[in-house]
Amino acid sequence: MILDFIYIIVGVTLVLLGADRLTDGASALARRFGVPEMVIGLTIVACGTSMPEFFVSLMSALNGTSDMAVGNVLGSNIMNTMLIVGCAAMVAPMVISPSTVRKDIPFAIGASVLLLLLCIDSAISRLDGIILLVGFALFMAYTLWQAKGNKTEDAGSVKQQNPWLSVAYIVLGLAGLVFGSNLFVDSASNVATALGVSQSVIGLTIVAGGTSLPELATSVVAARKGQSAIAIGNVIGSNVFNILLILGATAAITPLQLEGITLVDMGVMLGSIFLVWLFSFTRYTVERWEGSVLLVGYLAYLGWLLYH
């Protein structure tokens, strides 16, 4: 167990370093090519930080543990909107653009509602998976179309970074995020098992927490650097990726049966993103006190989950 604790520390360190490199590289590319940072956050950063969820959910489904696959996505989305946005907002108030409030967050809410409807029969079939993948294709098409009409002004006074160096930062950052989070998940799961924690709790808490470490680190680092567009874009994009792409692809490969996932878990996932949307209307900013509300809400949900 001592070795597992060492691996946990190493994993967290890799995630933090990876998040820092990824944020720098993505932000530099956004400035150089005139692409809004929000779009970078919704696509490149969100895709990269969602890779741990994809690998964990896919392997869990292939190994016959569907609850782990779905629980990982639900737990990750809840952590994204409550823990990550809460922590990032407490570090620095998160400014959210009006277009994000009007379009991007409602899309994430729509994806959550779609998942809830597809899970009414306690299963996600291959057809359901295809429906989710079609929704993901629509989301990507919309995001890229939006990028064409929202070019950022050229910051001539800002020193431009070599694009290849920016790409190298992104690749190194993603590598650190993926390897670090995997190391954290494996080691933390070993510790939890040794302490007698059930597999369902491990899936919804430790595994979801480990696979959400990239989002947490990336968003907090981006918020600290004043790049709130990347921070909130990463969260929203990751939530959409988790539901539409990860569960869609996983269910298309092998149908998922839901047994340990409850309506409470689904409701908290939907309610949390809706709460972030409501907070966004207050001067288009998630203030520090609103971040604390989200954080307390997550701790309450975690306490309920552990109690039951």
Side-chain angles (χ1 to χ4, degrees):
M1 188 177 294
I2 294 178
L3 187 59
D4 284 321
F5 277 116
I6 295 175
Y7 285 157
I8 288 174
I9 295 174
V10 173
V12 171
T13 302
L14 285 175
V15 166
L16 292 174
L17 292 176
D20 189 65
R21 293 296 87 186
L22 177 62
T23 302
D24 287 344
S27 179
L29 278 183
R31 289 195 304 268
R32 185 174 189 88
F33 294 106
V35 178
E37 288 187 342
M38 183 66 191
V39 174
I40 295 293
L42 283 168
T43 54
I44 297 175
V45 179
C47 179
T49 56
S50 290
M51 284 300 100
E53 282 93 340
F54 179 74
F55 290 128
V56 170
S57 292
L58 180 60
M59 294 309 298
S60 297
L62 292 176
N63 290 333
T65 54
S66 297
D67 277 347
M68 179 74 74
V70 180
N72 173 43
V73 167
L74 292 183
S76 294
N77 279 17
I78 292 171
M79 293 189 73
N80 284 350
T81 50
M82 301 190 79
L83 177 63
I84 294 176
V85 173
C87 289
M90 292 178 69
V91 169
M94 301 179 69
V95 179
I96 304 177
S97 67
S99 63
T100 299
V101 176
R102 293 194 306 266
K103 301 174 183 178
D104 299 319
I105 298 180
F107 203 108
I109 294 175
S112 301
V113 172
L114 177 60
L115 177 61
L116 180 61
L117 293 176
L118 294 178
C119 291
I120 289 179
D121 58 353
S122 298
I124 305 177
S125 65
R126 283 194 172 92
L127 178 59
D128 295 336
I130 293 174
I131 292 174
L132 292 173
L133 288 176
V134 170
F136 174 73
L138 294 174
F139 170 73
M140 288 301 298
Y142 162 74
T143 301
L144 296 177
W145 171 80
Q146 187 183 36
K148 291 183 179 180
N150 291 278
K151 294 287 185 180
T152 57
E153 56 279 358
D154 183 21
S157 60
V158 179
K159 183 179 178 181
Q160 296 289 346
Q161 187 179 82
N162 187 302
W164 290 110
L165 181 60
S166 300
V167 172
Y169 278 173
I170 291 175
V171 173
L172 288 175
L174 292 178
L177 291 172
V178 172
F179 289 120
S181 60
N182 285 339
L183 187 62
F184 172 88
V185 169
D186 291 341
S187 303
S189 296
N190 289 339
V191 171
T193 302
L195 296 176
V197 181
S198 68
Q199 290 295 320
S200 60
V201 173
I202 291 175
L204 283 167
T205 56
I206 295 178
V207 175
T211 56
S212 289
L213 268 181
E215 286 91 343
L216 175 60
T218 301
S219 292
V220 170
V221 169
R224 180 175 58 83
K225 293 181 177 182
Q227 298 159 346
S228 57
I230 285 184
I232 192 67
N234 173 44
V235 168
I236 297 171
S238 294
N239 278 22
V240 174
F241 271 65
N242 288 348
I243 294 175
L244 299 182
L245 177 61
I246 294 176
L247 283 184
T250 303
I253 295 173
T254 174
L256 304 173
Q257 298 294 327
L258 281 66
E259 296 178 1
I261 305 301
T262 67
L263 286 176
V264 172
D265 300 317
M266 290 283 186
V268 171
M269 179 193 67
L270 179 58
S272 61
I273 185 64
F274 188 76
L275 188 59
V276 170
W277 190 42
L278 290 180
F279 285 160
S280 302
F281 282 103
T282 56
R283 296 183 298 176
Y284 295 111
T285 304
V286 180
E287 303 286 356
R288 282 190 171 90
W289 73 267
E290 293 170 328
S292 65
V293 170
L294 291 170
L295 183 58
V296 170
Y298 175 74
L299 294 177
Y301 167 72
L302 184 62
W304 178 90
L305 189 64
L306 295 175
Y307 174 77
H308 287 276

